[in-house]
Amino acid sequence: MTEQLDPSRTVRRSPVLIPEALWRSREDRHHEIVDSLTTDHLQRRQRGTPHPVVDFLFTYYRTSVGTIRRWHPGPGVILENAHHEARTEWRHYRQASLHGRRGLMVDAESVVARSGPRIRRAREIVEATTTRAGATGCFGLHEWAMLYRTGADETRHDHVPLRIPRQVVDDVVESSRLRCTHFDAFRFFTEPAEPLNELRLTRAGQADHEQPACLHAGMDIYAHAALMEAGAPGELLLDALRAAFDAREVDMRSSPYDLSEWGLTPIPVETARGRTEFVAFQRRWISLTQALRSRLLLAMDRLAYESTPAHANAARPSVGSA
């Protein structure tokens, strides 16, 4: 039986059982992808060698490779025979059965009890972002605004040299229209740079300004999926992580920093050519991240629905509701 949650999303109330061989295959594939993305990062961390691009995804977003490596099917799915495995000790799982076949499934109520208000807030921001057209005129100048009128010993990325003089950084900021729409970038602007931005952004108004051309708004999809823990299907989490890796690289290549030591060439957004290259990436980014947002909203709806009693009203429940 299917029940309508809203005009564009349907979900099944009855769980689906995935045979053991099939879910193990999906889990193995998940491990392979995570390892391909993170092995270098883990080896650098063991050596104590920082990376100005990749480390951000695990430090700023406060996620760990070990957590990401855990594959989850999302709510409403029974993993056959998983109750015999270490997964029984993982957070947000419970035993379940279907037609006499036993296993584990995600305990949606447990996920919502732990993180419901934060998921609800993330959903508000993501849904608002999907309704807007992408604004491609920022040119990634947030990193420049974070350096505006700073001294020689003031940088956000220790031990990473600048590729251009500080005076040029200041000149670019002063001669450009700062159009940052992402609060978590704006809040790191230097004090003299803040009034140069078209918007005075606040945390409370975040949902009013996020837009899909913003690289950081798209990278946040990864953080939102990670916030859902076992409530997020592993495939969604990995697709969001892979996208975040790409965006973070472009983000830093368009900055004033010299990343040649890490084999990365600049996108010189202080020039017309560089701005054209940056905008071209943003246009692809809009299409990619809007698709990811749709998948994330669907996953959040499914989590909310599965966390309510079977007799609850068929209207879509609010994540984190009592």
Side-chain angles (χ1 to χ4, degrees):
M1 179 181 69
T2 61
E3 295 177 334
Q4 193 79 18
L5 295 188
D6 68 26
S8 64
R9 297 177 174 88
T10 59
V11 299
R12 288 185 292 267
R13 170 63 68 181
S14 299
V16 173
L17 185 140
I18 301 182
E20 182 176 2
L22 178 56
W23 71 257
R24 287 193 182 279
S25 175
R26 292 173 62 182
E27 182 179 56
D28 289 344
R29 178 58 177 158
H30 181 92
H31 291 165
E32 290 173 4
I33 295 173
V34 172
D35 291 347
S36 70
L37 291 172
T38 63
T39 295
D40 289 346
H41 165 73
L42 291 175
Q43 291 175 346
R44 283 192 302 270
R45 192 174 69 180
Q46 289 177 345
R47 297 193 302 267
T49 305
H51 194 292
V53 177
V54 177
D55 291 354
F56 174 86
L57 298 175
F58 301 101
T59 55
Y60 178 80
Y61 287 129
R62 299 182 182 179
T63 55
S64 70
V65 174
T67 298
I68 294 167
R69 204 172 185 275
R70 289 186 171 184
W71 173 80
H72 305 288
V77 176
I78 300 174
L79 302 179
E80 183 183 34
N81 294 329
H83 58 294
H84 297 307
E85 305 296 329
R87 191 181 293 258
T88 56
E89 303 299 322
W90 293 7
R91 180 184 288 143
H92 306 314
Y93 275 88
R94 62 180 176 84
Q95 292 200 32
S97 64
L98 184 67
H99 306 310
R101 298 166 71 180
R102 297 179 60 200
L104 294 178
M105 68 184 300
V106 172
D107 186 341
E109 291 185 45
S110 173
V111 176
V112 171
R114 175 176 166 85
S115 303
R118 290 184 294 160
I119 297 172
R120 181 174 57 207
R121 172 62 173 162
R123 194 191 192 289
E124 175 190 5
I125 294 169
V126 171
E127 187 168 41
T129 306
T130 65
T131 67
R132 301 190 178 103
T136 60
C138 72
F139 305 122
L141 292 175
H142 52 276
E143 287 284 350
W144 300 67
M146 295 174 194
L147 288 169
Y148 180 61
R149 293 189 182 177
T150 56
D153 59 344
E154 298 177 83
T155 63
R156 281 189 47 76
H157 303 283
D158 295 339
H159 312 301
V160 183
L162 297 182
R163 62 180 177 81
I164 54 178
R166 286 178 180 270
Q167 184 58 55
V168 175
V169 173
D170 292 351
D171 291 345
V172 169
V173 171
E174 291 171 356
S175 63
S176 303
R177 294 176 63 186
L178 296 185
R179 298 173 175 176
C180 183
T181 57
H182 188 66
F183 173 73
D184 282 315
F186 175 78
R187 68 190 177 98
F188 292 111
F189 280 25
T190 63
E191 187 173 343
E194 287 184 8
L196 301 180
N197 200 52
E198 288 187 349
L199 298 169
R200 295 305 297 266
L201 302 171
T202 65
R203 175 69 70 197
Q206 189 171 359
D208 298 327
H209 299 294
E210 294 283 15
Q211 50 87 19
C214 172
L215 270 61
H216 281 263
M219 284 190 279
D220 282 352
I221 297 171
Y222 157 65
H224 299 326
L227 171 64
M228 294 172 66
E229 298 182 273
E235 291 77 8
L236 169 62
L237 179 63
L238 281 195
D239 286 346
L241 176 59
R242 284 187 284 199
F245 267 104
D246 291 342
R248 177 59 179 168
E249 183 174 301
V250 170
D251 186 41
M252 288 303 293
R253 288 175 59 206
S254 59
S255 76
Y257 292 96
D258 180 358
L259 301 172
S260 57
E261 180 180 340
W262 294 272
L264 298 175
T265 58
I267 299 175
V269 294
E270 68 275 19
T271 69
R273 177 182 65 82
R275 294 189 175 197
T276 298
E277 184 178 353
F278 187 86
V279 169
F281 179 84
Q282 282 188 303
R283 288 173 177 160
R284 297 191 299 272
W285 187 239
I286 293 169
S287 177
L288 172 62
T289 57
Q290 289 291 60
L292 286 172
R293 287 186 184 94
S294 294
R295 292 169 60 191
L296 180 63
L297 290 172
L298 181 60
M300 288 176 167
D301 284 344
R302 184 60 186 264
L303 177 65
Y305 193 65
E306 294 292 339
S307 71
T308 61
H311 62 274
N313 189 293
R316 185 181 71 200
S318 174
V319 173
S321 60

